[in-house]
């Protein structure tokens, strides 16, 4: 599976590591070259410095051949915008966006994007711990 991940923070780097270990073809894109320090030394994928809102950077990352695009930058707006580009312009079959704001996450999910809200996930886990 060809996977393009935008954002090499803790989540993006860990996801890249996990998918690479499973044998997937992983490319991770980030604006800051220093962010790639979070990837393990044995990472077999490709790390590209670039802006995911730039179509040239997306093409360099392999968006045209991607089976999956994951957007996990710190910015909800950026994640949604590039997720829409991946889905509607490049027709990537599976696009997943991290959206911190639970209200916006609901809205974008209802508009057809696959979304994950870490705010909802953590709140749910904390509630389970409190009740359990």
């Amino acid at each position: 599976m060809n996977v393009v991940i935008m954002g090499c923070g803790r989540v993006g780097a860990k996801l890249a590591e996990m998918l690479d270990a499973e044998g997937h073809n992983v490319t991770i894109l980030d604006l800051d070259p220093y962010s790639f320090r979070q990837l393990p030394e044995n990472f077999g994928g490709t790390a590209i410095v670039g802006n995911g809102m730039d179509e040239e950077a997306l093409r360099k990352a392999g968006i045209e051949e991607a089976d999956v695009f994951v957007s996990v930058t710190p910015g909800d707006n950026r994640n949604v915008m590039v997720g829409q580009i991946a889905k509607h312009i490049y027709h990537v079959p599976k696009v997943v966006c991290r959206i911190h704001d639970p209200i916006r996450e609901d809205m974008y999910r209802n508009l057809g994007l696959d979304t994950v809200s870490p705010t909802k996930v953590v709140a749910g886990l904390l509630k389970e711990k409190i009740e359990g």
Side-chain angles (χ1 to χ4, degrees):
M1 178 168 58
N2 291 325
V3 181
V4 175
I5 300 170
M6 183 178 79
C8 192
R10 288 176 290 224
V11 173
K14 188 62 179 176
L15 179 61
E17 176 186 355
M18 293 164 66
L19 292 171
D20 178 57
E22 291 178 0
H24 299 290
N25 181 21
V26 180
T27 302
I28 190 158
L29 178 69
D30 200 286
L31 288 169
D32 182 6
Y34 188 67
S35 67
F36 299 125
R37 77 190 186 292
Q38 297 189 79
L39 294 168
E41 286 185 26
N42 64 344
F43 178 65
T46 304
I48 296 176
V49 176
N51 184 344
M53 295 180 74
D54 176 13
E55 288 192 52
E56 184 177 324
L58 287 173
R59 282 193 211 99
K60 186 176 178 184
I63 193 78
E64 294 169 315
E65 296 83 31
D67 300 302
V68 177
F69 177 83
V70 181
S71 186
V72 288
T73 74
D76 288 356
N77 291 336
R78 169 182 255 192
N79 291 341
V80 168
M81 178 176 259
V82 181
Q84 294 281 28
I85 290 169
K87 182 175 182 171
H88 297 292
I89 294 176
Y90 291 102
H91 307 289
V92 177
K94 184 72 169 179
V95 175
V96 182
C97 301
R98 174 179 65 186
I99 303 176
H100 292 281
D101 181 341
I103 295 169
R104 294 175 75 202
E105 188 262 345
D106 286 339
M107 179 181 71
Y108 288 114
R109 187 175 15 82
N110 290 335
L111 291 173
L113 277 180
D114 280 336
T115 58
V116 173
S117 173
T119 307
K120 282 182 173 178
V121 172
V122 172
L125 291 172
L126 290 169
K127 184 176 180 286
E128 286 177 19
K129 293 284 185 186
I130 291 168
E131 294 174 342

